[in-house]
Structures are given as C-alpha cells and as structure tokens.
Short mmCIF file of all heavy atoms in Angstrom, two decimals:
data_model
loop_
_atom_site.label_atom_id
_atom_site.label_comp_id
_atom_site.label_asym_id
_atom_site.label_seq_id
_atom_site.Cartn_x
_atom_site.Cartn_y
_atom_site.Cartn_z
N ILE O 852 -79.55 151.72 -136.13
CA ILE O 852 -79.54 150.25 -136.12
C ILE O 852 -80.42 149.73 -137.24
O ILE O 852 -81.65 149.84 -137.20
CB ILE O 852 -80.01 149.71 -134.75
CG1 ILE O 852 -79.15 150.29 -133.63
CG2 ILE O 852 -79.96 148.19 -134.73
CD1 ILE O 852 -77.66 150.02 -133.78
N ASN O 853 -79.76 149.16 -138.24
CA ASN O 853 -80.45 148.55 -139.37
C ASN O 853 -80.16 147.06 -139.38
O ASN O 853 -79.45 146.53 -138.51
CB ASN O 853 -80.01 149.22 -140.68
CG ASN O 853 -78.49 149.28 -140.80
OD1 ASN O 853 -77.78 148.35 -140.39
ND2 ASN O 853 -77.97 150.38 -141.36
N ALA O 854 -80.70 146.36 -140.38
CA ALA O 854 -80.54 144.90 -140.43
C ALA O 854 -79.08 144.48 -140.52
O ALA O 854 -78.66 143.49 -139.91
CB ALA O 854 -81.33 144.34 -141.61
N ALA O 855 -78.29 145.23 -141.27
CA ALA O 855 -76.87 144.88 -141.44
C ALA O 855 -76.13 145.01 -140.11
O ALA O 855 -75.33 144.14 -139.74
CB ALA O 855 -76.24 145.78 -142.50
N ARG O 856 -76.38 146.07 -139.38
CA ARG O 856 -75.70 146.26 -138.09
C ARG O 856 -76.20 145.25 -137.06
O ARG O 856 -75.43 144.79 -136.21
CB ARG O 856 -75.91 147.69 -137.58
CG ARG O 856 -75.07 148.72 -138.32
CD ARG O 856 -74.86 149.98 -137.50
NE ARG O 856 -73.89 150.83 -138.15
CZ ARG O 856 -74.20 151.94 -138.85
NH1 ARG O 856 -75.46 152.30 -138.97
NH2 ARG O 856 -73.26 152.66 -139.43
N LEU O 857 -77.46 144.91 -137.12
CA LEU O 857 -78.01 143.96 -136.17
C LEU O 857 -77.30 142.61 -136.27
O LEU O 857 -77.15 141.90 -135.27
CB LEU O 857 -79.51 143.79 -136.39
CG LEU O 857 -80.26 142.87 -135.43
CD1 LEU O 857 -80.07 143.31 -133.98
CD2 LEU O 857 -81.74 142.82 -135.79
N LYS O 858 -76.83 142.26 -137.46
CA LYS O 858 -76.14 140.98 -137.67
C LYS O 858 -74.81 140.92 -136.92
O LYS O 858 -74.25 139.83 -136.74
CB LYS O 858 -75.91 140.75 -139.15
CG LYS O 858 -77.19 140.45 -139.93
CD LYS O 858 -76.90 140.25 -141.41
CE LYS O 858 -78.19 139.94 -142.17
NZ LYS O 858 -77.96 139.77 -143.63
N LEU O 859 -74.28 142.08 -136.50
CA LEU O 859 -73.04 142.08 -135.73
C LEU O 859 -73.25 141.54 -134.32
O LEU O 859 -72.32 141.05 -133.68
CB LEU O 859 -72.47 143.50 -135.65
CG LEU O 859 -72.06 144.14 -136.98
CD1 LEU O 859 -71.71 145.61 -136.77
CD2 LEU O 859 -70.89 143.39 -137.59
N ALA O 860 -74.48 141.66 -133.83
CA ALA O 860 -74.82 141.12 -132.51
C ALA O 860 -75.06 139.62 -132.63
O ALA O 860 -75.00 139.05 -133.73
CB ALA O 860 -76.07 141.82 -131.98
N LYS O 861 -75.33 138.98 -131.53
CA LYS O 861 -75.64 137.55 -131.57
C LYS O 861 -76.92 137.30 -132.35
O LYS O 861 -77.82 138.16 -132.37
CB LYS O 861 -75.76 136.99 -130.15
CG LYS O 861 -74.43 136.93 -129.41
CD LYS O 861 -74.60 136.32 -128.03
CE LYS O 861 -73.26 136.23 -127.30
NZ LYS O 861 -73.41 135.69 -125.92
N PRO O 862 -77.06 136.14 -132.99
CA PRO O 862 -78.25 135.87 -133.82
C PRO O 862 -79.57 136.02 -133.06
O PRO O 862 -80.58 136.41 -133.64
CB PRO O 862 -78.03 134.42 -134.27
CG PRO O 862 -76.55 134.22 -134.20
CD PRO O 862 -76.08 135.04 -133.03
N GLU O 863 -79.55 135.71 -131.77
CA GLU O 863 -80.77 135.79 -130.97
C GLU O 863 -80.83 137.06 -130.13
O GLU O 863 -81.60 137.15 -129.17
CB GLU O 863 -80.88 134.56 -130.06
CG GLU O 863 -79.84 134.49 -128.94
CD GLU O 863 -78.47 133.97 -129.38
OE1 GLU O 863 -78.26 133.78 -130.59
OE2 GLU O 863 -77.62 133.78 -128.50
N ALA O 864 -80.05 138.07 -130.50
CA ALA O 864 -80.01 139.32 -129.72
C ALA O 864 -81.40 139.97 -129.65
O ALA O 864 -82.16 139.97 -130.62
CB ALA O 864 -79.02 140.29 -130.35
N LEU O 865 -81.70 140.50 -128.48
CA LEU O 865 -82.99 141.13 -128.24
C LEU O 865 -82.91 142.62 -128.56
O LEU O 865 -81.96 143.29 -128.17
CB LEU O 865 -83.37 140.94 -126.76
CG LEU O 865 -84.80 141.24 -126.33
CD1 LEU O 865 -85.77 140.28 -127.00
CD2 LEU O 865 -84.90 141.15 -124.81
N VAL O 866 -83.90 143.13 -129.29
CA VAL O 866 -83.95 144.55 -129.65
C VAL O 866 -85.01 145.25 -128.82
O VAL O 866 -86.17 144.84 -128.79
CB VAL O 866 -84.26 144.72 -131.15
CG1 VAL O 866 -84.45 146.20 -131.49
CG2 VAL O 866 -83.15 144.12 -132.00
N MET O 867 -84.59 146.33 -128.14
CA MET O 867 -85.50 147.08 -127.29
C MET O 867 -85.42 148.57 -127.60
O MET O 867 -84.42 149.05 -128.14
CB MET O 867 -85.16 146.81 -125.81
CG MET O 867 -85.23 145.35 -125.41
SD MET O 867 -84.55 145.02 -123.77
CE MET O 867 -85.73 145.89 -122.75
N HIS O 868 -86.47 149.29 -127.24
CA HIS O 868 -86.53 150.74 -127.44
C HIS O 868 -87.57 151.28 -126.47
O HIS O 868 -88.69 150.78 -126.41
CB HIS O 868 -86.92 151.07 -128.88
CG HIS O 868 -86.72 152.50 -129.27
ND1 HIS O 868 -87.35 153.55 -128.62
CD2 HIS O 868 -85.97 153.07 -130.26
CE1 HIS O 868 -86.98 154.70 -129.19
NE2 HIS O 868 -86.16 154.44 -130.18
N PRO O 869 -87.23 152.31 -125.68
CA PRO O 869 -88.19 152.83 -124.69
C PRO O 869 -89.34 153.61 -125.30
O PRO O 869 -90.34 153.88 -124.62
CB PRO O 869 -87.32 153.72 -123.80
CG PRO O 869 -86.20 154.16 -124.70
CD PRO O 869 -85.93 152.99 -125.59
N GLY O 870 -89.22 154.00 -126.59
CA GLY O 870 -90.28 154.75 -127.24
C GLY O 870 -90.35 156.20 -126.75
O GLY O 870 -89.87 156.51 -125.65
N PRO O 871 -90.92 157.07 -127.54
CA PRO O 871 -91.39 156.82 -128.90
C PRO O 871 -90.22 156.70 -129.88
O PRO O 871 -89.14 157.24 -129.64
CB PRO O 871 -92.23 158.06 -129.23
CG PRO O 871 -91.62 159.14 -128.38
CD PRO O 871 -91.18 158.47 -127.11
N MET O 872 -90.42 155.94 -130.96
CA MET O 872 -89.35 155.69 -131.93
C MET O 872 -89.34 156.73 -133.03
O MET O 872 -90.38 157.20 -133.49
CB MET O 872 -89.55 154.32 -132.58
CG MET O 872 -89.36 153.13 -131.66
SD MET O 872 -89.50 151.58 -132.59
CE MET O 872 -91.26 151.53 -132.97
N ASN O 873 -88.14 157.06 -133.49
CA ASN O 873 -87.95 157.80 -134.73
C ASN O 873 -87.52 156.77 -135.78
O ASN O 873 -86.33 156.50 -135.96
CB ASN O 873 -86.86 158.87 -134.59
CG ASN O 873 -87.27 159.99 -133.66
OD1 ASN O 873 -88.30 160.61 -133.86
ND2 ASN O 873 -86.47 160.24 -132.64
N ARG O 874 -88.48 156.15 -136.42
CA ARG O 874 -88.16 155.12 -137.40
C ARG O 874 -87.39 155.71 -138.57
O ARG O 874 -87.73 156.78 -139.07
CB ARG O 874 -89.44 154.45 -137.90
CG ARG O 874 -90.16 153.63 -136.84
CD ARG O 874 -91.46 153.08 -137.35
NE ARG O 874 -92.38 154.15 -137.73
CZ ARG O 874 -93.53 153.96 -138.38
NH1 ARG O 874 -93.88 152.75 -138.74
NH2 ARG O 874 -94.31 154.97 -138.69
N GLY O 875 -86.34 155.00 -138.95
CA GLY O 875 -85.49 155.49 -140.03
C GLY O 875 -84.37 156.39 -139.54
O GLY O 875 -83.50 156.78 -140.32
N LEU O 876 -84.39 156.74 -138.26
CA LEU O 876 -83.32 157.55 -137.68
C LEU O 876 -82.45 156.67 -136.79
O LEU O 876 -81.42 156.17 -137.21
CB LEU O 876 -83.89 158.74 -136.91
CG LEU O 876 -82.87 159.67 -136.24
CD1 LEU O 876 -81.84 160.18 -137.23
CD2 LEU O 876 -83.60 160.83 -135.55
N GLU O 877 -82.90 156.43 -135.55
CA GLU O 877 -82.09 155.57 -134.67
C GLU O 877 -82.37 154.09 -134.88
O GLU O 877 -81.58 153.24 -134.49
CB GLU O 877 -82.30 155.93 -133.19
CG GLU O 877 -83.66 155.55 -132.63
CD GLU O 877 -84.64 156.69 -132.62
OE1 GLU O 877 -84.32 157.75 -133.19
OE2 GLU O 877 -85.71 156.53 -132.02
N ILE O 878 -83.51 153.77 -135.52
CA ILE O 878 -83.87 152.37 -135.73
C ILE O 878 -84.60 152.22 -137.06
O ILE O 878 -85.49 153.01 -137.39
CB ILE O 878 -84.72 151.85 -134.56
CG1 ILE O 878 -84.97 150.34 -134.69
CG2 ILE O 878 -86.02 152.62 -134.42
CD1 ILE O 878 -85.58 149.72 -133.44
N ALA O 879 -84.21 151.22 -137.83
CA ALA O 879 -84.86 150.95 -139.12
C ALA O 879 -86.18 150.22 -138.89
O ALA O 879 -86.35 149.50 -137.90
CB ALA O 879 -83.95 150.11 -140.00
N CYS O 880 -87.11 150.39 -139.82
CA CYS O 880 -88.43 149.77 -139.68
C CYS O 880 -88.35 148.26 -139.56
O CYS O 880 -89.05 147.65 -138.74
CB CYS O 880 -89.32 150.16 -140.86
SG CYS O 880 -89.81 151.90 -140.87
N ASP O 881 -87.50 147.63 -140.38
CA ASP O 881 -87.44 146.17 -140.36
C ASP O 881 -86.85 145.64 -139.06
O ASP O 881 -87.13 144.51 -138.66
CB ASP O 881 -86.66 145.63 -141.57
CG ASP O 881 -85.28 146.25 -141.72
OD1 ASP O 881 -84.95 147.19 -140.97
OD2 ASP O 881 -84.52 145.79 -142.60
N VAL O 882 -86.06 146.46 -138.39
CA VAL O 882 -85.53 146.07 -137.07
C VAL O 882 -86.59 146.28 -135.99
O VAL O 882 -86.80 145.43 -135.13
CB VAL O 882 -84.25 146.87 -136.73
CG1 VAL O 882 -83.79 146.57 -135.30
CG2 VAL O 882 -83.15 146.54 -137.73
N ALA O 883 -87.29 147.40 -136.07
CA ALA O 883 -88.31 147.73 -135.07
C ALA O 883 -89.43 146.70 -135.04
O ALA O 883 -89.98 146.40 -133.97
CB ALA O 883 -88.88 149.12 -135.33
N TYR O 884 -89.77 146.16 -136.21
CA TYR O 884 -90.88 145.22 -136.29
C TYR O 884 -90.43 143.80 -136.62
O TYR O 884 -91.24 142.95 -136.98
CB TYR O 884 -91.89 145.71 -137.33
CG TYR O 884 -92.39 147.10 -137.05
CD1 TYR O 884 -92.12 148.16 -137.92
CD2 TYR O 884 -93.13 147.38 -135.90
CE1 TYR O 884 -92.57 149.44 -137.65
CE2 TYR O 884 -93.58 148.66 -135.62
CZ TYR O 884 -93.29 149.68 -136.50
OH TYR O 884 -93.73 150.96 -136.22
N GLY O 885 -89.14 143.55 -136.48
CA GLY O 885 -88.60 142.24 -136.81
C GLY O 885 -88.82 141.21 -135.71
O GLY O 885 -89.34 141.52 -134.62
N ASP O 886 -88.42 139.99 -135.98
CA ASP O 886 -88.63 138.89 -135.04
C ASP O 886 -87.86 139.06 -133.74
O ASP O 886 -88.24 138.50 -132.71
CB ASP O 886 -88.21 137.56 -135.69
CG ASP O 886 -89.10 137.17 -136.86
OD1 ASP O 886 -90.26 137.67 -136.90
OD2 ASP O 886 -88.66 136.40 -137.72
#
C-alpha cells in the first residue's frame, strides 16, 4: 500500500496496521506516517 494505491480508497479512508510494520514492503513510509 503506497500513496498511489491509497488514492483508490475514499479520500478520508483510515489506514491501520496491527504492527510491527515492514515499511517499504506491505506499507510505504508516507502511508504509515501520513495524515
């Protein structure tokens, strides 16, 4: 899930992850720490 794919969801879609994260694998850094 990167910024481009996140745009496919609703603009106010909530991003969650149970942790621990593999940043750059299942989730991009800008998504993990985004608004």
Side-chain angles (χ1 to χ4, degrees):
I852 304 303
N853 51 37
R856 285 202 171 103
L857 183 57
K858 290 179 180 178
L859 297 172
K861 290 183 179 177
E863 68 280 7
L865 193 65
V866 174
M867 302 170 66
H868 193 301
M872 292 184 289
N873 292 305
R874 292 176 298 170
L876 179 54
E877 71 262 8
I878 186 169
C880 290
D881 54 353
V882 174
Y884 304 115
D886 294 338

